[in-house]
Amino acid sequence: GGFFAIYFLLAKNGIKKACSKALSLMLTPLKFKQVGIVLDKFHNIFSKYIVFELLDSLIVGVTSYIFMIIVKMPDALFLAFIFGITNLIPTFGPIIGAGIGSFILLLLDPRQILPLLIFTLVIQSLDAYVIKPKLFGDALNVPGAIILIAIVVFGKLMGIVGMLLAIPFAAILVYFYSEVFIPWLELKREMENFIQEQVTAKPKDHL
């Protein structure tokens, strides 16, 4: 996956040019422009999602390090690093981080395992229900409640992949609702009102 990502990033400009050329030949200039606007919006959403996912993991890692320093856990920096990295993994990331941390503490200081597990439960609850909805909601202009609903729904439908993609999918749905569906309804209502005005105006013109 890592090598694939590197090769894909190195070739992204060529891929983008090839796809753009094909779309320009298949679509009319107006539709090509509209598709370009939508694709740029998708790129913006996923770029922000990746950046803020990394920021979220950094917040979890720093918070974990502060807690571990306060309770004087051994290898606090390494354990906090593990917590931050595994937080990038949806659903099972915190469990993996807690498992690795517990194994390390079992060798170094078993008395710290219970505080670590309690802290993991607290920080992951705050991250899932407070930090992440607030962080991604402000960045992607998506209400926190919709993010929570999207995580539950997409996780139920698509499992781990659904939970990983729930936030950008929610942002895309909100974008289509506010920028495409609502303007279409407004235009439709204006056309209906215009037609109604024309119909009611004809008898008056005749008189």
Side-chain angles (χ1 to χ4, degrees):
F3 282 113
F4 175 80
I6 292 172
Y7 279 112
F8 186 81
L9 289 174
L10 291 175
K12 68 175 184 178
N13 290 330
I15 296 173
K16 182 178 178 180
K17 289 180 180 179
C19 293
S20 178
K21 182 66 175 178
L23 286 175
S24 65
L25 294 174
M26 291 188 295
L27 303 175
T28 63
L30 178 60
K31 289 185 178 180
F32 176 72
K33 183 178 180 180
Q34 293 173 340
V35 170
I37 294 173
V38 173
L39 292 178
D40 286 340
K41 184 65 177 181
F42 286 3
H43 177 268
N44 186 39
I45 288 173
F46 279 97
S47 297
K48 286 185 177 180
Y49 171 71
I50 293 172
V51 170
F52 281 92
E53 185 71 35
L54 293 173
L55 179 60
D56 178 62
S57 294
L58 179 62
I59 292 173
V60 171
V62 171
T63 305
S64 302
Y65 179 69
I66 294 173
F67 169 78
M68 293 170 186
I69 288 295
I70 293 174
V71 299
K72 298 180 179 179
M73 282 188 184
D75 284 342
L77 182 60
F78 178 70
L79 290 174
F81 176 77
I82 293 297
F83 268 52
I85 292 297
T86 55
N87 190 69
L88 293 170
I89 305 173
T91 309
F92 298 105
I95 299 175
I96 296 172
I100 295 174
S102 298
F103 177 75
I104 294 174
L105 290 177
L106 181 65
L107 301 176
L108 300 177
D109 189 357
R111 295 174 299 176
Q112 297 282 10
I113 294 178
L114 182 59
L116 179 71
L117 295 177
I118 295 174
F119 171 77
T120 301
L121 179 62
V122 173
I123 189 62
Q124 290 304 321
S125 298
L126 289 174
D127 182 54
Y129 297 106
V130 179
I131 299 175
K132 189 164 288 186
K134 179 64 177 176
L135 192 65
F136 286 98
D138 293 343
L140 301 176
N141 296 321
V142 180
I146 293 181
I147 289 179
L148 289 176
I149 294 172
I151 291 174
V152 174
V153 172
F154 282 102
K156 186 69 175 178
L157 295 176
M158 302 170 60
I160 297 176
V161 176
M163 298 186 74
L164 178 63
L165 299 177
I167 295 176
F169 279 175
I172 290 172
L173 291 175
V174 170
Y175 164 74
F176 270 111
Y177 175 78
S178 61
E179 301 295 334
V180 178
F181 183 65
I182 292 299
W184 176 75
L185 288 179
E186 292 175 345
L187 180 61
K188 181 181 178 182
R189 175 60 61 86
E190 291 178 0
M191 292 297 296
E192 291 176 350
N193 293 337
F194 176 77
I195 294 174
Q196 185 66 30
E197 290 175 358
Q198 294 298 316
V199 171
T200 56
K202 284 182 178 180
K204 295 180 182 179
D205 294 341
H206 180 72
L207 293 174

